[in-house]
Amino acid sequence: MDLYTSFLLLSLTSFFTLINPLAIMPIFMSMTADLEAQKKVYTARKAVIVSFFTLLIFSTTGEWVFHFFNISINSLKIVGGVIFILMGQDMLQARLVRTKVDKADVDTYVNDISITPLAIPMICGPGAITNGIVLMESTTNFIEKIILIVVIAVVLLLTYIVLVHSTAIYRWIGPTGNNVLMRLMGLIVMVIAIEFMVSGITPIIRQILKISPLAVSRVL
């Protein structure tokens, strides 16, 4: 497997499991239950478009923000790994880690629920944003950057398809199937979390081991 294929699979798997369209689906159904079919499609489309540009902005400007605030990408990998582990743990227990909207508040959100809370933070949450920044930072050439952007677009397109056909999908897989799929995705998220944490901790440990002998020699 070449580097491009490996990066493609990592990006696709991580974004799909972190965005997790199947977890968004029940909430989308409840929030749009009283809307006409055309308005449901419009809401899903707008939410996905807003999510795409949000992820694109954070992914492409994350490196500049880190340099401006003198933040290490390795630190973000460790923090991102912790976030992914917490998300994965909730997913393993089939709990939806999403913003909840009371029925009394639906009317307030109905005109703009596509942006908040559907796009942010349901689709484009902290996990997906962190994943985009870390993966973009790890790219080594222009082709990998294009692959990452295409993957984001593809995953969000799949999310749009799931939301538009949410009623039929939920009726087909049922609540049990939905819980099983969520647990599997949670396991994948936790594996990715460990990979992120190891890749973030390893350079820090190497730097400490490299500096320590030098510091000792200076003291002596």
Side-chain angles (χ1 to χ4, degrees):
M1 184 182 297
D2 58 46
L3 292 177
Y4 292 139
T5 304
S6 177
F7 182 75
L8 172 64
L9 292 176
L10 173 62
S11 302
L12 187 61
T13 304
S14 60
F15 269 114
F16 187 82
T17 51
L18 287 169
I19 293 176
N20 196 1
L22 294 177
I24 305 171
M25 185 175 64
I27 300 176
F28 175 81
M29 291 171 60
S30 64
M31 293 180 64
T32 60
D34 296 330
L35 297 180
E36 299 175 357
Q38 186 176 359
K39 290 185 178 180
K40 289 183 180 180
V41 173
Y42 171 78
T43 302
R45 182 169 64 246
K46 186 176 180 181
V48 166
I49 292 174
V50 170
S51 300
F52 173 77
F53 284 105
T54 302
L55 284 174
L56 187 62
I57 291 172
F58 274 102
S59 299
T60 54
T61 62
E63 182 178 358
W64 179 85
V65 173
F66 289 163
H67 291 163
F68 182 80
F69 290 102
N70 196 24
I71 301 174
S72 170
I73 185 64
N74 295 321
S75 300
L76 181 66
K77 286 182 178 180
I78 296 172
V79 174
V82 173
I83 294 175
F84 294 169
I85 285 178
L86 295 176
M87 293 178 64
Q89 185 179 9
D90 285 329
M91 292 166 70
L92 279 174
Q93 298 174 7
R95 293 204 304 256
L96 300 179
V97 189
R98 304 289 177 180
T99 300
K100 296 181 180 179
V101 179
D102 297 331
K103 291 182 178 179
D105 297 329
V106 171
D107 291 337
T108 305
Y109 284 113
V110 73
N111 292 325
D112 212 10
I113 58 175
S114 55
I115 297 177
T116 304
L118 279 178
I120 306 170
M122 287 186 182
I123 298 176
C124 183
I129 291 174
T130 303
N131 191 54
I133 295 174
V134 170
L135 289 177
M136 184 63 76
E137 177 72 15
S138 66
T139 57
T140 57
N141 53 58
F142 183 74
I143 295 178
E144 288 184 346
K145 295 181 186 296
I146 294 299
I147 290 175
L148 181 58
I149 294 174
V150 171
V151 165
I152 293 174
V154 169
V155 171
L156 290 177
L157 177 61
L158 292 174
T159 303
Y160 170 75
I161 294 173
V162 169
L163 294 183
V164 170
H165 299 90
S166 56
T167 303
I169 294 174
Y170 197 76
R171 189 185 304 117
W172 180 63
I173 65 175
T176 302
N178 189 51
N179 289 340
V180 170
L181 287 175
M182 193 182 303
R183 285 186 167 92
L184 291 175
M185 291 181 182
L187 182 63
I188 295 174
V189 167
M190 295 186 76
V191 171
I192 294 172
I194 298 300
E195 292 290 338
F196 272 22
M197 293 181 70
V198 170
S199 64
I201 293 173
T202 302
I204 295 177
I205 294 177
R206 287 178 178 173
Q207 185 177 8
I208 292 174
L209 294 177
K210 184 183 295 184
I211 294 176
S212 296
L214 180 61
V216 173
S217 63
R218 286 180 177 178
V219 172
L220 296 176

